[in-house]
Amino acid sequence: MAGYLVRRLLQSAGVLWAAFTLSFLILYLLPSDPISMMVDGVAEAGTLDPAATAQLKARYGLDLPVWQQYLQSLRGAVGGDLGLSITTGRPVTGLIGTALPSTLALAGAALGLALLAGAGLAVATAWTRSRRLKAFLRALPPVSTALPTFWVGLVLVQIFSFGLRLLPAFGDSAPVHVILPALTLALPTGAVIAQVLGDALESTLHRPFIATARAKGVSRRRILGHHAFRPAAVNALTVAGVIVGNLLAGSVVVETVFARNGVGRLTQQAVLTQDIPVVQGVVMLCATVFVVINLAVDLAYPLLDPRISAASGPAASGPGRPADPAAVAAPATTPRDEELVHA
């Protein structure tokens, strides 16, 4: 297990380096120049000074060759220094640190709502014996996923803020302001969870050890909640990293619609002004969150299904490496299935 953890940490470092390098190449090789864009705005007022332009480029290191800028930026990123914002002159880490709490509150609330709604819908679909109701519940996740996030936000504002006057439409000064943005983000995320978990539950409920449990008189509630849910949750856990990434990406739109100050709005303003250090800082933040979540998911697999850790070994997946969760979740009868029935 220790060897596997070391390899995963090295892979995570490689992913972060690749994200930094690709984002640097894409952003710094853009044809336009952020300093020129900023100076052009001043020039309209008739105060353009070429010497000041040169000083600004030297201050942000933009007068250096690209490879020197890359090494300088990489050295700073390793030490936690993401440079200075071209627009405000403030440290990028400070700007992200100021905006991050609001985005974390929004993403955390949205993730909680998505987990509750998605898991509840998946369990309800697996529980009902009505074919019509089951078909209706199965149709909800694809419809929810297809709805544009900004449209959902505008509809919620129109209904609950302007129509019923129950919730505030804009701002982030009180906890109640997070409800509508969190609902907007949770809707597509919960739909993905419901779809993945629902399919996994249906597959698990047709496995042989479930039939054995039914034959032994185990109650329907215990079969669904104890025998089927935990193995099926492995599949839903696998998409957790992607879900968190989608939440951060969706916050750009949602924070703009609801006028919330967070990483999303910071990204929007940085893109509009081509503030490259800020944009790259946000990219590295998202990459770090993605890597950490996926590492946590890998380590959580054995907690949901002990077969994953039990199958570790040279014959299963390499020395000290947990087995592939997808392979463990394959619909086949295993000794563990028998253990689940007798549990």
Side-chain angles (χ1 to χ4, degrees):
M1 186 65 183
Y4 168 71
L5 182 60
V6 170
R7 281 194 296 275
R8 290 291 290 121
L9 290 175
L10 291 176
Q11 290 173 0
S12 300
V15 170
L16 291 178
W17 172 78
F20 179 88
T21 302
L22 287 176
S23 61
F24 179 89
L25 290 176
I26 293 172
L27 293 172
Y28 278 81
L29 293 182
L30 288 173
S32 56
D33 180 4
I35 297 296
S36 298
M37 290 177 61
M38 184 171 63
V39 170
D40 285 345
V42 178
E44 294 177 356
T47 57
L48 175 62
D49 184 356
T53 303
Q55 286 181 354
L56 283 174
K57 289 187 177 181
R59 179 186 181 188
Y60 294 105
L62 297 176
D63 58 338
L64 299 173
V66 174
W67 67 271
Q68 286 188 15
Q69 293 183 45
Y70 171 75
L71 291 179
Q72 195 175 52
S73 300
L74 181 61
R75 192 183 307 115
V78 171
D81 180 10
L82 297 175
L84 298 176
S85 166
I86 294 176
T87 305
T88 65
R90 294 175 55 191
V92 174
T93 50
L95 291 174
I96 293 178
T98 303
L100 191 58
S102 175
T103 300
L104 287 180
L106 172 60
L111 183 61
L113 290 173
L115 287 173
L116 288 175
L121 182 58
V123 171
T125 305
W127 177 265
T128 183
R129 290 174 174 169
S130 169
R131 291 185 178 182
R132 291 185 178 180
L133 180 57
K134 188 183 287 287
F136 172 74
L137 294 177
R138 280 179 174 172
L140 291 180
V143 173
S144 302
T145 307
L147 297 176
T149 303
F150 71 91
W151 182 82
V152 173
L154 293 176
V155 170
L156 290 177
V157 167
Q158 187 66 34
I159 295 175
F160 293 101
S161 298
F162 300 147
L164 301 177
R165 299 184 182 278
L166 293 177
L167 296 169
F170 308 113
D172 54 1
S173 58
V176 71
H177 287 96
V178 82
I179 295 177
L180 287 183
L183 282 173
T184 305
L185 269 181
L187 190 61
T189 306
V192 173
I193 295 174
Q195 203 159 16
V196 173
L197 184 58
D199 291 343
L201 276 175
E202 289 293 333
S203 175
T204 305
L205 288 173
H206 289 86
R207 293 173 64 176
F209 74 94
I210 295 294
T212 305
R214 289 196 183 103
K216 294 179 67 174
V218 178
S219 67
R220 195 157 167 254
R221 182 195 301 179
R222 184 171 177 79
I223 287 177
L224 183 60
H226 183 73
H227 296 306
F229 188 83
R230 287 182 61 183
V234 173
N235 292 349
L237 186 63
T238 303
V239 300
V242 180
I243 288 174
V244 173
N246 288 339
L247 287 177
L248 291 176
S251 68
V252 176
V253 177
V254 172
E255 287 177 353
T256 302
V257 171
F258 290 94
R260 290 178 58 85
N261 292 317
V263 175
R265 291 200 75 187
L266 178 66
T267 306
Q268 180 207 19
Q269 294 167 0
V271 170
L272 291 177
T273 58
Q274 204 174 333
D275 197 339
I276 293 176
V278 175
V279 175
Q280 189 166 28
V282 174
V283 170
M284 293 310 300
L285 170 68
C286 294
T288 303
V289 171
F290 186 84
V291 165
V292 171
I293 293 296
N294 277 276
L295 183 61
V297 167
D298 282 353
L299 297 178
Y301 280 136
L303 301 179
L304 283 175
D305 193 337
R307 290 175 299 174
I308 295 176
S309 59
S312 301
S317 54
R321 188 186 190 285
D324 181 7
V328 173
T333 304
T334 69
R336 178 60 185 166
D337 291 344
E338 298 299 330
E339 294 176 13
L340 289 173
V341 174
H342 292 291

